[in-house]
Amino acid sequence: MKKLKLFYNPFSGNKSFKFDLDVCIGIFQEGGYEVHPFRTLHPGDIDEHIATMDPNYDIVVASGGDGTVNIVINALMRRGLHIPLGIIPSGTANDFATYLGFKTGEVEDVCKTIVSTEPVPVDLGLVNDDIFFINVVAGGYFTNVSQTVDKDIKNALGSLSYYLKGVEQLPQFRKIPYRITTSQGIIEEDLYFYMILNSAGTGGFTNLSPGATVTDGLFEFIAVKGRPLYEMTPTVVKMLTGEHIHDKNILYLKDNYFKVECLDDTFEIKETTVDGEMGPDMPFEMRVIPSAIPVFGKFDHVGEKAEPILSNLFKNAGLPTKL
């Protein structure tokens, strides 16, 4: 019988996955898999388990948020295991699962997709030659929001909590000089924040890179330039609909290598986030690892627009909302 390893984080999101566990195991067993669950209890236990587990699993499934998925991927890649990966979205932020066409709460649909479809080899990013990521590396303003939002508020409000916390930072914005090196050359530009994306979105923004594909060996660099706030606000609104790529206030690049340096030593937010978790400080380098791991998904999902939510937040903050 084929074997499936199921990692799940009981503390992710609204902590409801435990009620779906029997459904998942039943679908996997009906699909011909012997299921071996692993319940994470403390930081580092998934890494420890994968470091010594039987390498002959046919599928590995990770249930949790983007952080749990990132932990599983890093542990698998460090051991050189390219086992097909299934992702069950059950965290507060489930950006890559959203790109795959999976919706939070629709566990039965996700599990059936995993046992009835073929996985697709997807690209991974590698930061400083030691940290893998599947969705995004980000830096600058906004990008430390996931680290500063209270966990209880995050679980209660979901992605809305990120928008609320992000709007709090707007009055503190000042343009920050960066140097971006790609395989094609060097660009120096004043920016507010930037993202290096594999899929179409992050932080609940599902159309940040509408043309992104996880199988082309390239990542998208998207940044908001350091312009007056009255110019930036409609640009950010456009980012929710995918209409921002050619906006004058957006820096858009596409490459398989990026080096990011902050040229302002006084800027306090030196750290980056990697798949929503704390990443290395700038400067850093990243490169694409093409077709690094097979992943199950629908690969045809288009995210819903969140423009009304963000527009209302801008309005409440006294900022313009008209494009």
Side-chain angles (χ1 to χ4, degrees), residues 3-8 34-39 44-62 71-86 293:
K3 295 192 302 180
L4 182 150
K5 171 67 72 172
L6 170 61
F7 293 96
Y8 70 99
E34 179 180 289
V35 182
H36 298 179
F38 181 89
R39 179 183 188 270
D45 58 359
I46 292 178
D47 302 83
E48 294 169 1
H49 185 80
I50 291 178
T52 58
M53 80 175 188
D54 181 355
N56 297 310
Y57 278 96
D58 297 280
I59 295 178
V60 168
V61 176
I71 291 169
V72 171
I73 286 174
N74 272 273
L76 290 173
M77 295 301 292
R78 280 195 294 268
R79 196 173 167 197
L81 301 178
H82 301 274
I83 303 171
L85 176 67
I293 188 169

Side-chain angles (χ1 to χ4, degrees), residues 31-216:
Y33 292 91
E34 179 180 289
V35 182
H36 298 179
F38 181 89
R39 179 183 188 270
T40 180
L41 294 172
H42 56 79
D45 58 359
I46 292 178
D47 302 83
E48 294 169 1
H49 185 80
I50 291 178
T52 58
M53 80 175 188
D54 181 355
N56 297 310
Y57 278 96
D58 297 280
I59 295 178
V60 168
V61 176
S63 173
D66 292 326
T68 301
V69 174
N70 180 273
I71 291 169
V72 171
I73 286 174
N74 272 273
L76 290 173
M77 295 301 292
R78 280 195 294 268
R79 196 173 167 197
L81 301 178
H82 301 274
I83 303 171
L85 176 67
I87 300 172
I88 301 175
S90 59
T92 302
N94 306 287
D95 293 317
F96 196 75
T98 298
Y99 173 80
L100 296 176
F102 297 148
K103 294 184 179 180
T104 305
E106 297 184 357
V107 173
E108 185 175 348
D109 175 62
V110 176
C111 293
K112 287 181 177 178
T113 299
I114 291 172
V115 298
S116 65
T117 64
E118 292 295 321
V120 173
V122 306
D123 305 329
L124 292 180
L126 180 60
V127 178
N128 291 343
D129 289 327
D130 64 355
I131 302 174
F132 292 92
F133 70 98
I134 199 168
N135 197 53
V136 62
V137 171
Y141 292 108
F142 278 151
T143 53
N144 67 342
V145 165
S146 63
Q147 309 302 319
T148 57
V149 175
D150 180 85
K151 186 175 181 180
D152 291 334
I153 295 176
K154 191 186 298 184
N155 290 338
L157 299 180
S159 293
L160 180 58
S161 64
Y162 297 123
Y163 301 146
L164 291 168
K165 194 69 177 181
V167 169
E168 284 182 11
Q169 293 186 6
L170 286 174
Q172 306 167 15
F173 272 30
R174 62 183 176 89
K175 60 184 181 180
I176 304 297
Y178 288 90
R179 179 183 296 124
I180 315 300
T181 304
T182 73
S183 66
Q184 305 298 313
I186 298 174
I187 296 174
E188 292 190 359
E189 183 70 68
D190 292 338
L191 306 173
Y192 286 128
F193 62 91
Y194 64 86
M195 298 156 287
I196 303 174
L197 286 159
N198 188 20
S199 78
T202 183
F205 290 39
T206 57
N207 291 291
L208 289 175
S209 187
T213 172
V214 296
T215 58
D216 63 355

